[in-house]
Amino acid sequence: MSEKSVFTRILEGEIPSEILYQDEHCFVIRDIAPKAPTHLLLIPKKPIPKLSDATEEDRELLGHLLFTAKKVAQAAGIGDAFRLVINNGAGAGQTVFHLHLHILGNVQMSEGSLAL
Ligand code: 5GP
């Protein structure tokens, strides 16, 4: 069995981090190193390492994450203008191998760069 991800350790209370929202399938924390004035991480409780590892059985979960991202953005007051980012693989800048969506608000939307 592979080692628990930092996000699973947060979920289980081993690493302190305020959980801003959670339901049966996912939870939300603030990014420890925010790249925008609002920078949240939406994380499935199921530790899928990266999006490209998702299988057919994760289809509903992936839809749930997207819909939850919208609700969380609205609750965070950035519902009118936010950006979602998923880094897939080290070559794309992924550093934590437990699938997560970055929810970014109050970002400069004119910027072309998605580097996170
Ligand atoms: P990635 O680079 O994998 O797309 O994003 C991982 C994100 O997790 C980074 O933006 C990083 O700042 C954040 N992160 C890493 N470790 C922790 C942690 O212990 N607590 C929180 N809240 N965020 C973390």
Side-chain angles (χ1 to χ4, degrees):
M1 168 127 184
S2 58
E3 238 174 64
K4 278 189 223 168
S5 75
V6 66
F7 296 151
T8 295
R9 295 178 67 201
I10 286 171
L11 179 64
E12 293 180 354
E14 284 176 27
I15 297 175
S17 183
E18 188 184 354
I19 295 183
L20 302 174
Y21 168 84
Q22 70 172 314
D23 62 28
E24 197 185 338
H25 302 292
C26 62
F27 63 105
V28 175
I29 58 175
R30 285 190 196 88
D31 197 292
I32 203 169
K35 311 289 190 304
T38 302
H39 187 170
L40 306 175
L41 300 173
L42 172 59
I43 306 159
K45 291 183 174 177
K46 179 178 177 182
I48 300 166
K50 56 188 190 297
L51 182 61
S52 55
D53 295 319
T55 66
E56 192 65 37
E57 76 170 28
D58 299 317
R59 191 184 266 271
E60 255 185 62
L61 173 61
L62 296 179
H64 178 74
L65 292 174
L66 204 52
F67 192 72
T68 304
K70 163 211 120 121
K71 289 198 301 184
V72 167
Q74 283 169 340
I78 55 167
D80 284 341
F82 61 94
R83 179 181 286 177
L84 299 180
V85 174
I86 297 174
N87 294 322
N88 188 89
Q94 185 175 3
T95 57
V96 176
F97 288 85
H98 180 154
L99 175 64
H100 52 282
L101 281 74
H102 296 262
I103 305 174
L104 297 143
N106 304 308
V107 280
Q108 283 288 351
M109 291 298 179
S110 55
E111 273 177 22
S113 170
L114 286 179
L116 283 171

